[in-house]
Amino acid sequence: MIKQLLCKVSGHKLELTHQDSLHIKEFTCQCCKKEFTEDGYGKLVGLNKFWRDNHSKFREYLQEQYS
Ligand SMILES: [Zn+2]
C-alpha cells in the first residue's frame, strides 16, 4: 500500500522488460510491480488483457512477415 502511494506521488519506476520491434514495449514498475505498455500514440497504459491479445496478434503478424 505504501509502495503504491509512493508511485502516486513520485511516479512509477518503469523498467523495460520486453520489446518486440519498435512497436511493442512492455514495462514493469520496479516499485509496485504493475505492468504497462505503450498504446499506438506512445502513451503509457496499463497492460491488461486487451493489450496482451493485441501484442500476441502483432507478434504473429511479424513472424509471418519475416519467416
Ligand atoms: Zn509503481
Side-chain angles (χ1 to χ4, degrees):
M1 280 307 180
I2 290 167
K3 281 184 175 178
Q4 283 167 1
L5 189 70
L6 245 170
C7 285
K8 262 189 181 168
V9 175
S10 57
H12 297 286
K13 289 190 169 51
L14 295 178
E15 184 188 32
L16 186 67
T17 48
H18 203 96
Q19 181 165 14
D20 270 311
S21 79
L22 290 172
H23 302 285
I24 301 177
K25 283 181 191 162
E26 292 176 3
F27 304 91
T28 303
C29 174
Q30 292 176 307
C31 193
C32 67
K33 304 297 177 198
K34 219 181 152 196
E35 291 175 294
F36 297 89
T37 188
E38 279 179 354
D39 70 7
Y41 305 98
K43 191 169 160 257
L44 211 62
V45 290
L47 184 62
N48 54 22
K49 192 179 180 300
F50 171 80
W51 284 107
R52 284 183 205 278
D53 287 353
N54 224 332
H55 287 178
S56 65
K57 279 187 194 126
F58 192 72
R59 281 181 191 125
E60 276 171 28
Y61 169 78
L62 285 178
Q63 273 171 7
E64 277 172 28
Q65 296 299 303
Y66 296 111
S67 60

